[in-house]
Amino acid sequence: MKPITHEITNDCRPVGEILNQIGGKWTVLIINVLSGGPMRFSAIKRQVGGISQKVLTATLRDLEMDGFLTRTVTPSIPPHVDYELTELGQDLQGPLEVLGVWAVNNRPKVLEARGRYFAAHPEAMPKRNPRLAPPPLRVAAE
């Protein structure tokens, strides 16, 4: 495989900054949920299981700041607030979908490699890390 030859310099910070924002699990889920059209905060929270109100608020604010979504307030009592993907947010859906498919298709290979690594390096096995799936259990052949 050839390296990417676009205008990427040795300074990874600009790319890293953007990847840090769009690569977060909440960002990916929120972009996916909003792909169906505008939604209210409570509807997004229901669709994105496990996210706290505080984290959802912060993530939506960051996505608005970076131009991935718009926040529209309709004056009423209580105010009606909708979140909707911008053109940039819609453009991000394609790459996220490709990465998601790749992740699903290659997860078994990653878990297998992780299992081999931990078998060879048991001291590296984390005591508890919810971000790491446990290595696959191997059943001894009888």
Side-chain angles (χ1 to χ4, degrees):
M1 174 181 261
K2 291 184 179 181
I4 298 171
T5 57
H6 299 290
E7 302 266 339
I8 297 177
T9 66
N10 289 335
D11 184 358
C12 300
R13 289 176 288 188
V15 174
E17 176 188 3
I18 299 300
L19 289 178
N20 186 49
Q21 173 63 22
I22 64 172
K25 74 174 180 179
W26 299 121
T27 296
V28 171
L29 293 171
I30 290 168
I31 295 288
N32 185 51
V33 163
L34 287 174
S35 68
M39 293 180 79
R40 296 184 73 175
F41 183 93
S42 57
I44 297 168
K45 188 166 183 332
R46 274 193 305 275
Q47 293 284 325
V48 180
I51 191 169
S52 69
Q53 184 166 331
K54 180 180 175 182
V55 171
L56 178 56
T57 299
T59 305
L60 289 169
R61 190 172 293 134
D62 288 346
L63 290 169
E64 180 183 13
M65 175 184 68
D66 289 343
F68 294 109
L69 60 82
T70 58
R71 178 180 185 268
T72 305
V73 180
T74 304
S76 62
I77 299 176
H80 183 95
V81 181
D82 282 311
Y83 295 90
E84 183 174 15
L85 292 179
T86 62
E87 188 176 323
L88 184 63
Q90 291 170 358
D91 191 42
L92 179 58
Q93 289 177 283
L96 289 180
E97 182 178 351
V98 170
L99 282 172
V101 169
W102 183 91
V104 168
N105 290 342
N106 288 285
R107 186 170 187 267
K109 293 175 189 173
V110 170
L111 292 177
E112 186 178 313
R114 192 176 291 164
R116 285 193 309 272
Y117 181 84
F118 288 139
H121 306 282
E123 73 283 358
M125 177 73 84
K127 300 255 186 288
R128 182 172 188 273
N129 187 345
R131 294 182 344 161
L132 287 178
L137 296 174
R138 299 200 180 264
V139 178
E142 294 182 20

